[in-house]
Amino acid sequence: MEPIRLGMVGGGQGAFIGGVHRIAARLDGQYALVAGALSSDPARAAASAAELGLARSYDDYRQMAAREARRKDGIQAVAIVTPNHMHAGPAIEFLKRGIHVICDKPLTATMAEAKRLAKVAEASKALFILTHNYTGYPLIRQARAMIAAGDLGALRLVQVEYAQDWLTEAVASKQADWRTDPLRSGLGGALGDIGTHAWNLAAFVTGMEPEALAADLSSFVPGRALDDNAHVMLRYPGGAKGMLWASQVAPGNENGLRLRVYGAKGGLEWEQENPNRLWFTPFGEPKRLLTRNGAGALPEAQRVSRVPPGHPEGYLEGFANIYTEAARAIRAHEAGEALPEGVLFPGLSDGISGMRFVAACVQSAKRNAAWVAP
Ligand SMILES: NC(=O)c1ccc[n+]([C@@H]2O[C@H](COP(=O)([O-])OP(=O)(O)OC[C@H]3O[C@@H](n4cnc5c(N)ncnc54)[C@H](O)[C@@H]3O)[C@@H](O)[C@H]2O)c1
């Protein structure tokens, strides 16, 4: 099978997530990176492309979209790995030309951009994939399948948190710079950057979205324009309750994404920093440690697992699972076939949900943590 021809916007020298996307795209041999507009600075874009041995380098994503769409061997999909305010513009340019988009989260910086992008995505014949990469971990697929099968009974409690410490003080770095700037990050600071991952993960695993939330937001670092800590209470339809904590000022936490879900019959507990383990407690029985691809692994988890249990898989493999799921979807789509069974990836509706989450938290916090509908 020929690899899918992939382009990239962003991800030049000194950037973070672009390199992760390149590894994720290559891991299962499903893509070949052939073109890029890798930086907002044309000289850096060219130097970055040369370093990667890219066949075609562009100064600007508009030029790239127009020229690639005209080529017989033009890109079939593009990865968008720019800061939040630079998602909508490129996504729209490529979708309009029928080129599939694999975009990083959050969907956009503003709700107005999200709505514009949604209109174009819905009208496009191309697919839109959003890299909420944590949904790609095998034991997250396992947890989702167990909850759907009723192993926990009726859900009562959802505790989700994503804690980091790297913004505990004012930091001068490429990554911190745009994340703390409302014009480039959007309405949310920690909320948009990592809170949206927590929100998405809880929804993916439980199959439920809150109908109301109450948020207490803080900017602990003097002069910081956006939140760096968010405590959010959640109410689900049917009576389940939840709490979401997103923080970038919690010393000792690196990428502390943690999900705990409890129902009438049992509980599940998972941590991103130890992703090959899932704790399952049927109520009244000893805790059981489920391992990735180990005894008791469900088909939903096995199909996104590469190596035997005991050999760790983690962030890069989970990210690659989203790329490989996207490749399956793209190939089926281009062949005019239905999505193959079991293929799962986050998309437009997840992105819109994340934007509504951020906007609702900001609205709630302004009203002294009033309950609002997301
Ligand atoms: N899914 C995840 O786990 C995860 C992790 C980190 C970041 N992200 C998301 O990825 C995106 C990028 O984050 P990052 O930390 O890599 O940022 P970064 O600042 O390290 O890199 C951004 C890159 O975009 C380029 N860029 C900016 N404007 C451009 C333009 N007009 N044309 C071409 N390139 C342009 C910059 O030159 C740079 O190369 C953000 O939306 C962020 O939320 C996701």
Side-chain angles (χ1 to χ4, degrees):
M1 212 167 357
E2 286 291 304
I4 294 167
R5 297 183 298 280
L6 181 69
M8 182 168 274
V9 180
Q13 290 166 340
F16 166 47
I17 208 68
V20 173
H21 280 247
R22 288 193 290 270
I23 294 168
R26 272 203 306 267
L27 200 66
D28 296 317
Q30 293 293 320
Y31 299 85
L33 185 66
V34 294
L38 297 179
S39 169
S40 52
D41 166 14
R44 188 182 282 234
S48 309
E51 208 170 80
L52 294 170
L54 270 198
R56 303 186 287 279
S57 171
Y58 297 92
D59 288 354
D60 171 279
Y61 69 80
R62 290 178 201 84
Q63 183 192 57
M64 171 170 159
R67 292 205 197 151
E68 288 294 320
R70 282 202 296 268
R71 294 177 70 102
K72 271 212 174 77
D73 63 348
I75 57 170
Q76 297 161 276
V78 66
I80 298 178
V81 290
T82 43
N84 307 348
H85 72 302
M86 203 40 75
H87 291 179
I92 288 172
E93 286 299 313
F94 289 95
L95 285 171
K96 274 197 316 206
R97 294 174 169 85
I99 294 169
H100 307 291
V101 167
I102 302 171
C103 182
D104 219 311
K105 47 46 64 180
L107 185 61
T108 54
T110 68
M111 193 60 95
E113 288 169 356
K115 286 185 178 158
R116 265 206 317 278
L117 168 55
K119 255 197 185 147
V120 176
E122 279 155 11
S124 171
K125 62 178 169 60
L127 299 176
F128 181 86
I129 294 105
L130 191 71
T131 51
H132 271 305
N133 51 294
Y134 301 107
T135 61
Y137 283 73
L139 285 176
I140 285 298
R141 301 286 173 109
Q142 171 99 12
R144 175 185 160 100
M146 288 175 70
I147 287 174
D151 290 359
L152 302 196
L155 298 187
R156 292 174 171 170
L157 307 169
V158 180
Q159 294 284 130
V160 65
E161 63 190 54
Y162 198 153
Q164 299 180 328
D165 64 4
W166 68 292
L167 294 178
T168 295
E169 294 180 345
V171 200
S173 78
K174 186 179 178 66
Q175 282 74 29
D177 202 36
W178 68 258
R179 279 178 171 82
T180 51
D181 172 6
L183 292 177
R184 289 178 285 169
S185 184
L187 280 181
L191 266 184
D193 202 33
I194 53 176
T196 51
H197 272 313
W199 173 263
N200 176 260
L201 188 72
F204 181 80
V205 170
T206 63
M208 308 188 300
E209 283 216 0
E211 62 185 4
L213 61 77
D216 188 7
L217 305 183
S218 313
S219 305
F220 280 105
V221 173
R224 185 164 285 162
L226 292 171
D227 67 276
D228 49 27
N229 189 83
H231 285 115
V232 188
M233 289 200 291
L234 310 169
R235 286 181 184 157
Y236 290 89
K241 300 289 169 81
M243 284 172 69
L244 182 154
W245 174 42
S247 186
Q248 294 179 312
V249 294
N253 288 277
E254 291 169 339
N255 278 287
L257 173 61
R258 181 178 182 209
L259 176 67
R260 292 173 289 165
V261 185
Y262 305 103
K265 283 167 48 181
L268 281 174
E269 301 173 344
W270 180 85
E271 290 176 8
Q272 197 273 149
E273 292 184 355
N274 220 339
N276 293 271
R277 298 169 149 218
L278 174 69
W279 288 102
F280 172 44
T281 312
F283 178 62
E285 292 180 30
K287 254 176 141 70
R288 292 179 196 167
L289 177 61
L290 304 177
T291 57
R292 186 197 49 74
N293 229 355
L298 294 171
E300 288 87 341
Q302 285 173 329
R303 61 178 283 284
V304 290
S305 213
R306 293 178 183 76
V307 292
H311 294 306
E313 287 188 13
Y315 185 68
L316 297 173
E317 291 89 345
F319 222 113
N321 285 337
I322 302 299
Y323 263 85
T324 299
E325 295 281 64
R328 292 187 181 116
I330 289 170
R331 291 188 194 288
H333 189 79
E334 297 202 338
E337 292 163 3
L339 200 62
E341 207 187 317
V343 170
L344 273 178
F345 56 85
L348 188 66
S349 59
D350 302 279
I352 297 283
S353 172
M355 296 301 290
R356 282 198 275 104
F357 159 70
V358 172
C361 287
V362 171
Q363 192 198 352
S364 165
K366 276 193 188 143
R367 292 166 45 203
N368 202 20
W371 285 95
V372 299

